[in-house]
Amino acid sequence: MNNPYEVVPATIYEIIQESPLIRTLRVQPEKPIPFKTGQFIELTIPGIGEGPFTPSSSHFISENMDITIMKTGFVTEYVHRAKVGDKVGLRGPYGSHYPLEKFKGKDLLILGGGCGLAPLRSLFTTLLHEVEDYNSITFFAGAKTPKDCIYKDSVTDWRKYDNVTFMRSVDVVPDGEEWDEEVGLVTSLLSKLDIDTAVNPAVVCGPPVMMKFGTMDLIKCGFREENIYLSMEKKMYCGFGQCRHCVMGEFYACKDGPVFTYARIKNEEDIWE
Ligand SMILES: Cc1cc2nc3c(=O)[nH]c(=O)nc-3n(C[C@H](O)[C@H](O)[C@H](O)COP(=O)(O)OP(=O)(O)OC[C@H]3O[C@@H](n4cnc5c(N)ncnc54)[C@H](O)[C@@H]3O)c2cc1C
């Protein structure tokens, strides 16, 4: 990247309302924005503000980008009012990425929930481009209720690969909602895992409480701390280590992360907040 502050104008060409609080913007930047899966960009809503988001599309596509965004506050409220044809700005990419070379030939586990599925969809669809390079890929995806499940339209496609297992779980099924898959916390799916956890990698992303207990459960299952990859969504502004908002002990979440192994950051304070 030459100028880290450069904002590339982009047009929203499609909006997918994934769930009541989550939508995917499909944007076309004026010039391609190459990135590595796991990295993030800063999305600007003109006149309103900007925020960090991980592309949710494959890193093999740089002409268009999908960004999946949960409504949580000021900027994301505006994102949820955006319409097809609106202009936004993108700067980046920033930060570390998933080390695909370490996943090749392995049995990879991907564990996530809520809007944490955004970077995991980017990772997963990137892996699917070269699916034969991985011994197996298991993706456990969680949501609170069936109507909170995202990427519903992709489920059938994601289940068609011989070496891929995609399972979903919801915490509860409220009266009136239909669901014929698993019920329980997404971590309850770990009981179905059939890989050698001592030598294989796992990638985790979700709300802080899920990241924390998910990581502890992975360790109980036998995963090594250095093989557990976390995407840390700390509050950040500049995106490249100038403003210091995202300092985690000796690390900056924006430039040393957002992808860290648990072994690397486990001794820093408040990593789950
Ligand atoms: C590297 C990275 C990647 C991210 N990727 C995505 C993504 O793909 N999709 C997505 O929906 N969100 C993602 N986030 C979180 C997203 O940046 C925030 O939810 C968003 O900036 C909130 O902006 P706001 O103005 O709407 O909220 P505000 O009005 O500023 O705050 C509303 C609430 O959101 C919390 N919040 C604000 N900023 C962050 C933050 N950076 N991380 C976590 N919580 C925050 C606040 O503490 C507050 O509780 C990512 C964050 C980081 C750091």
Side-chain angles (χ1 to χ4, degrees):
M1 192 189 355
N2 297 327
N3 172 5
Y5 292 101
E6 183 189 3
V7 176
V8 177
T11 306
I12 300 172
Y13 67 91
E14 191 179 347
I15 296 174
I16 301 161
Q17 194 66 42
E18 306 277 4
S19 75
L21 287 179
I22 299 179
R23 58 176 13 192
T24 298
L25 304 186
R26 313 198 81 182
V27 299
Q28 178 153 43
E30 281 183 5
K31 65 179 188 183
I33 303 186
F35 68 98
K36 297 274 189 197
T37 181
Q39 288 190 295
F40 69 97
I41 49 91
E42 288 279 344
L43 171 75
T44 305
I45 305 297
I48 302 300
E50 64 174 8
F53 299 93
T54 325
S56 56
S57 44
S58 161
H59 78 191
F60 286 107
I61 302 164
S62 56
E63 296 78 21
N64 306 321
M65 186 183 281
D66 292 353
I67 311 170
T68 301
I69 297 178
M70 184 160 75
K71 186 168 24 168
T72 57
F74 186 72
V75 172
T76 51
E77 167 74 37
Y78 277 87
V79 169
H80 276 253
R81 286 190 217 160
K83 303 178 301 302
V84 168
D86 284 358
K87 303 279 183 204
V88 296
L90 302 172
R91 62 180 175 91
Y94 304 114
S96 59
H97 52 84
Y98 295 116
L100 300 193
E101 66 292 345
K102 291 195 177 160
F103 300 164
K104 291 199 169 160
K106 301 275 182 162
D107 296 301
L108 175 66
L109 170 67
I110 302 173
L111 177 69
C115 209
L117 295 176
L120 301 181
R121 177 192 188 236
S122 171
L123 171 66
F124 186 58
T125 53
T126 298
L127 301 176
L128 293 180
H129 277 260
E130 301 172 330
V131 69
E132 64 288 346
D133 287 355
Y134 304 89
N135 197 46
S136 72
I137 303 167
T138 304
F139 190 171
F140 292 154
K144 283 187 185 149
T145 69
K147 75 172 164 27
D148 297 311
C149 283
I150 63 175
Y151 308 135
K152 297 181 186 81
D153 294 346
S154 303
V155 171
T156 308
D157 269 1
W158 290 353
R159 289 188 167 143
K160 72 181 185 205
Y161 299 86
D162 290 340
N163 60 340
V164 171
T165 304
F166 177 71
M167 292 184 72
R168 299 190 296 181
S169 177
V170 296
D171 298 352
V172 288
V173 183
D175 286 347
E177 287 191 43
E178 281 182 23
W179 185 250
D180 58 5
E181 298 184 40
E182 302 296 323
V183 179
L185 295 177
V186 67
T187 46
S188 65
L189 295 175
L190 292 172
S191 62
K192 302 182 185 295
L193 198 59
D194 185 22
I195 62 175
D196 182 354
T197 54
V199 296
N200 282 300
V203 177
V204 189
C205 193
V209 66
M210 186 249 131
M211 299 271 281
K212 176 176 179 178
F213 291 105
T215 301
M216 299 308 134
D217 284 353
L218 290 177
I219 290 168
K220 276 189 221 145
C221 287
F223 284 93
R224 297 210 177 121
E225 293 175 350
E226 62 273 25
N227 288 336
I228 300 175
Y229 294 85
L230 307 170
S231 288
M232 303 305 291
E233 294 197 353
K234 292 285 171 189
K235 256 198 141 162
M236 57 178 72
Y237 294 100
C238 72
F240 48 92
Q242 299 296 305
C243 73
R244 295 183 56 83
H245 272 91
C246 65
V247 166
M248 301 163 52
E250 63 173 295
F251 301 114
Y252 286 77
C254 64
K255 70 183 173 88
D256 301 309
V259 178
F260 292 97
T261 63
Y262 177 60
R264 193 159 176 229
I265 54 168
K266 65 176 184 172
N267 294 324
E268 305 304 335
E269 271 182 44
D270 306 331
I271 60 169
W272 307 119
E273 290 177 3

